[in-house]
Amino acid sequence: MTTQAWHHEIGARLEAVQSRIARACEAAGREPEDVRLIAVSKRKPSIAIRAAYDLGLRDFGENYAQELRDKADELQDLSDIRWHFIGPLQRNKARLVVGRAQWIHTVDRAAIINTLNQRAATANAPLDILIQLNLAGEISKSGAQEADLPKLLDLVHSSSLIRCRGLMAITPALDDPQDVAPHFNRLRNILATCHDAQGEPLRELSMGMSADLEVAIAAGATMIRIGSAIFGPRL
Ligand SMILES: *Cc1c(COP(=O)(O)O)cnc(C)c1O
């Protein structure tokens, strides 16, 4: 597909997503600016990302370290693009992501915090992270347990170059998106107990995907991760 074909492919979908966000914010009494739209571009070519960038998007989410590295390097000329790593992260892949991604949403254990801090020091690049919690248990093995959160936060606070900004969860795809609401509300309630190293409340909640963004916005999401509703189905 050409860039123009991708513009065509993405343009109408993006408008539909943006009006869903606007309606959900209005219903929740929130400002659309307070909900960051992260376009999840996994398995879509760089040319599709370039088209989405041309249409105004700046935040892109990738799940695989090599794929993020390749695309970030190919799209280096888009200097204000922001990459979010949203996949499971292995320690030996951290070097591919640090220095390219500004945000890592999937930090879930002490070992990865230590590795990220070392890598951030080597790259001299500060890193914003979210702690991923495993709320439902069934959808993935990744994600920390709620009970481990205080010690993970303490470890981040003692790490000089990484900053915890909030929480993330991957929720199960349910037939009725409304059924995810209890998970989202639980994540928001847990966030309310979390503070940064200066004692300021953490604010970011990364939750909600194509099928349930309205439910996530109603529950307080500040970052929604939208793939297929923007780029079309993944083959
Ligand atoms: C793929 C993916 C998404 C996007 O899913 P869609 O249903 O296509 O919007 C969001 N978050 C994570 C962690 C993903 O892996």
Side-chain angles (χ1 to χ4, degrees):
M1 266 164 88
T2 61
T3 314
Q4 222 178 1
W6 274 110
H7 274 138
H8 186 73
E9 174 85 11
I10 296 168
R13 281 209 189 86
L14 181 59
E15 266 181 42
V17 166
Q18 281 163 339
S19 65
R20 285 173 67 190
I21 295 171
R23 279 196 306 264
C25 283
E26 197 180 334
R30 302 185 58 198
E31 298 299 325
E33 299 77 51
D34 296 336
V35 179
R36 191 193 302 226
L37 172 57
I38 300 174
V40 176
S41 44
K42 63 183 173 210
R43 291 173 18 215
K44 297 292 173 182
S46 294
I47 192 172
I49 298 174
R50 201 177 278 282
Y53 179 96
D54 289 343
L55 292 167
L57 293 179
R58 290 296 177 270
D59 292 274
F60 293 88
E62 288 286 342
N63 289 59
Y64 307 101
Q66 282 97 335
E67 196 177 334
L68 185 143
R69 181 216 28 213
D70 293 348
K71 289 174 176 173
D73 290 358
E74 260 175 70
L75 297 169
Q76 262 184 49
D77 59 305
L78 309 180
S79 57
D80 60 348
I81 200 168
R82 287 179 295 268
W83 294 101
H84 299 251
F85 189 77
I86 63 170
L89 186 56
Q90 290 151 10
R91 294 173 68 185
N92 61 357
K93 302 282 172 62
R95 73 191 150 77
L96 303 178
V97 173
V98 175
R100 293 186 175 88
Q102 282 87 345
W103 290 82
I104 297 185
H105 292 226
T106 45
V107 174
D108 63 355
R109 60 200 189 278
I112 200 77
I113 293 172
N114 290 327
T115 301
L116 289 175
N117 198 45
Q118 284 159 14
R119 287 287 163 198
T122 309
N124 196 20
L127 196 57
D128 286 313
I129 66 141
L130 304 173
I131 306 273
Q132 181 188 354
L133 288 185
N134 187 340
L135 295 181
E138 68 261 39
I139 187 155
S140 75
K141 291 183 188 65
S142 54
Q145 298 304 315
E146 185 184 354
D148 295 331
L149 188 55
K151 71 172 194 291
L152 293 175
L153 285 173
D154 281 346
L155 184 59
V156 177
H157 295 163
S158 65
S159 309
S160 49
L161 282 163
I162 54 179
R163 202 158 56 127
C164 184
R165 305 285 303 275
L167 302 177
M168 178 268 204
I170 301 174
T171 45
L174 301 175
D175 291 341
D176 182 353
Q178 279 301 337
D179 292 343
V180 190
H183 295 301
F184 289 155
N185 288 327
R186 185 164 155 230
L187 195 69
R188 186 195 56 219
N189 291 337
I190 297 171
L191 182 78
T193 69
C194 296
H195 296 86
D196 69 13
Q198 282 73 45
E200 296 294 323
L202 300 187
R203 303 206 175 280
E204 302 289 344
L205 273 179
S206 167
M207 58 189 195
M209 306 196 276
S210 293
D212 53 21
L213 71 87
E214 288 86 356
V215 188
I217 288 172
T222 62
M223 295 175 157
I224 53 174
R225 309 180 307 265
I226 308 299
S228 48
I230 294 174
F231 290 108
R234 287 179 294 276
L235 302 174

